[in-house]
Amino acid sequence: MFTVTALALRNLWRHRRRTLITMSTLVIGVAVVVFLSGFRNAFIQLILDDAIKSQAGAFQVHRAGYMDATYGTPLDLNVTADGTLEKTLRAVPGVTGVTPRIRFGGLVSSGGKSSMFSGVAVHPVTEYEVCPLFRFRAVDGDGNTSTPLGPEKDDGLLIGRELADGLHVKVGDSVTLLVQTLAGGMNALDATIIAYTLPTDPFSAKRGLWVTLPFAQRLLGMEGKATEMVVATASAGVIDETAAAARMALGPTYEVHTWEAIVPFVKDAIERLAYVLGIVSTVLLLIVITGVMNTVLMSVYERVREVGTMMALGMRRRSILALFVLEALGMCLMGALAGLGLGEAVVKYLDWRGIPISPPGGGMTALLHPWVTPGFMAGALAVAFLGTVVAAIYPAYKASRLRPVEALRAL
């Protein structure tokens, strides 16, 4: 076996140009796969952070049956916001923050224009403890980050840009909110637009507005009440565990839903992104493996007489098979390791520098920080090795099946 290995290494050095070309393909292909994995991880993390730290929180608590009737924004299925429920939730291991919200709907008007709206009332202080990125969703008319909702202006309002354009209003204008109260009557209050909000989906741009919790409680007659409690956890990895502990602590009166149930379109977007980039990575690896197969096959055709000579001198067919497979594995080892090193270096550099990305409409510029796991690196190397073996089997087998006499006669 030592002799066959030595011959394989000698052949790789003897055909340096072909070896370098094949290795270059491996280096580029593996490096691109590593980069795509790092980019996918960073983009998925950005989407998760936006969903959890800007919109839905880690999980939410509602009265039992609320989610089944959520499109009707049922105010009667409310929870207490007097601190009792919040205290219970904060006692659950893993919970780092709790904030109340009210979801409601009604009619918003200004002058002779009016439109239906879907509103969210947030606590002007604790909201930013649970969803810290929410403060960066407020933008001015030029798309620059603006003043978020806060306790200093109780009747402030954030509005979707398309909804504002439909009402012919802008930042600084007043609008009137007309709603049905918890008691069943009608009530109206004026609010002042302090900023636009970056849309998370087309519906929020066309119908969304945000007000402070005290303002909504006065408007809806829901003092001391909310429709949901939004909860933050220590990390994304403990969300399911913490949500399960919250269910046990709260009992059947309440229902607990993680962000995946609250914003299912975000989960779908993550799955689609992972699927698409997975296909791209697979295609790249197939191209690389095909290149290796082509190289080995060319080597077989070019060295027919050499193979015939070795077989005539007594080298067995299995040794011929092993020779070509070892040559392919040698190229794979050097190319894959170099590709992994190059890909990791690029990923680490981009992680250190960050890739700036701005959401549509302007606002805060986020930085993507690519990263890859050691498990993925090991898996990529294993796939490259396995693919190389599979790619080299047919050409190597073809070489091992040559008849010595016919091989010696070949030109």
Side-chain angles (χ1 to χ4, degrees):
M1 189 62 184
F2 176 79
T3 303
V4 175
T5 304
L7 280 173
L9 293 175
R10 186 205 66 178
N11 289 333
L12 290 177
W13 177 253
R14 188 175 64 177
H15 302 283
R16 293 186 293 274
R17 181 177 299 177
R18 183 170 56 207
T19 301
L20 287 174
I21 292 174
T22 306
M23 282 180 56
S24 298
T25 304
L26 282 163
V27 170
I28 295 173
V30 173
V32 171
V33 168
V34 172
F35 168 75
L36 286 176
S37 175
F39 179 81
R40 178 198 62 191
N41 292 339
F43 207 80
I44 287 176
Q45 188 63 52
L46 181 67
I47 295 174
L48 278 175
D49 284 346
D50 181 70
I52 295 174
K53 297 180 181 180
S54 172
Q55 302 179 55
F59 62 87
Q60 295 182 6
V61 176
H62 306 90
R63 279 280 299 277
Y66 179 87
M67 288 297 291
D68 294 333
T70 185
Y71 292 109
T73 56
L75 300 179
D76 57 319
L77 293 175
N78 54 66
V79 299
T80 59
D82 57 3
T84 304
L85 181 58
E86 179 180 345
K87 183 177 179 180
T88 302
L89 287 170
R90 288 185 181 274
V92 175
V95 171
T96 58
V98 182
T99 188
R101 286 183 188 167
I102 295 177
R103 293 189 179 271
F104 64 105
L107 190 71
V108 56
S109 61
S110 177
K113 300 288 184 178
S114 62
S115 175
M116 301 296 293
F117 73 86
S118 177
V120 181
V122 299
H123 193 283
V125 176
T126 58
E127 176 70 24
Y128 305 112
E129 298 173 0
V130 175
C131 294
L133 297 183
F134 179 74
R135 69 172 65 251
F136 300 110
R137 286 178 57 192
V139 296
D140 60 20
D142 296 325
N144 301 312
T145 303
S146 183
T147 305
L149 291 174
E152 64 281 350
K153 189 168 180 57
D154 186 59
D155 64 343
L157 178 146
L158 303 181
I159 191 169
R161 189 61 177 265
E162 291 187 38
L163 178 56
D165 291 343
L167 295 172
H168 295 171
V169 293
K170 60 183 183 301
V171 174
D173 292 345
S174 293
V175 294
T176 301
L177 304 185
L178 178 65
V179 300
Q180 183 175 16
T181 66
L182 176 61
M186 302 300 295
N187 191 23
L189 286 177
D190 292 335
T192 302
I193 300 174
I194 62 172
Y196 303 110
T197 184
L198 292 175
T200 56
D201 56 80
F203 181 79
S204 66
K206 295 177 180 178
R207 292 287 181 267
L209 58 81
W210 288 256
V211 296
T212 64
L213 187 70
F215 177 86
Q217 288 173 332
R218 293 197 309 273
L219 176 65
L220 298 164
M222 293 182 62
E223 285 75 7
K225 299 182 183 298
T227 57
E228 63 195 35
M229 288 288 181
V230 185
V231 183
T233 58
S235 68
V238 300
I239 290 178
D240 291 337
E241 177 185 346
T242 308
R247 291 188 188 97
M248 292 292 294
L250 296 175
T253 304
Y254 300 95
E255 56 187 19
V256 178
H257 296 93
T258 64
W259 67 271
E260 294 177 336
I262 303 299
V263 283
F265 60 89
V266 173
K267 181 183 178 182
D268 292 340
I270 291 174
E271 291 176 348
R272 285 196 297 269
L273 176 64
Y275 178 74
V276 170
L277 291 182
I279 290 178
V280 173
S281 298
T282 301
V283 170
L284 283 172
L285 285 176
L286 287 176
I287 292 173
V288 170
I289 291 170
T290 302
V292 173
M293 182 177 181
N294 182 62
T295 300
V296 178
L297 195 57
M298 286 177 59
S299 179
V300 170
Y301 286 134
E302 291 175 359
R303 294 159 57 191
V304 170
R305 295 192 67 179
E306 178 186 333
V307 171
T309 301
M310 289 188 293
M311 294 179 70
L313 292 175
M315 182 173 282
R316 297 188 176 185
R317 296 184 184 275
R318 64 172 177 266
S319 297
I320 299 294
L321 177 68
L323 174 65
F324 285 94
V325 171
L326 285 173
E327 289 181 17
L329 287 177
M331 288 186 290
C332 173
L333 177 62
M334 292 183 287
L337 288 177
L340 288 175
L342 176 62
E344 186 177 20
V346 171
V347 166
K348 285 187 175 180
Y349 171 74
L350 292 175
D351 178 34
W352 168 75
R353 183 175 181 177
I355 305 174
I357 180 172
S358 297
M364 181 187 65
T365 297
L367 289 178
L368 291 178
H369 293 279
W371 52 275
V372 290
T373 62
F376 174 83
M377 301 285 281
L381 184 61
V383 169
F385 261 79
L386 180 61
T388 300
V389 171
V390 172
I393 285 294
Y394 171 71
Y397 176 80
K398 190 174 181 65
S400 69
R401 293 298 94 190
L402 290 173
R403 297 179 62 185
V405 175
E406 294 178 355
L408 289 171
R409 288 176 182 171
L411 295 177

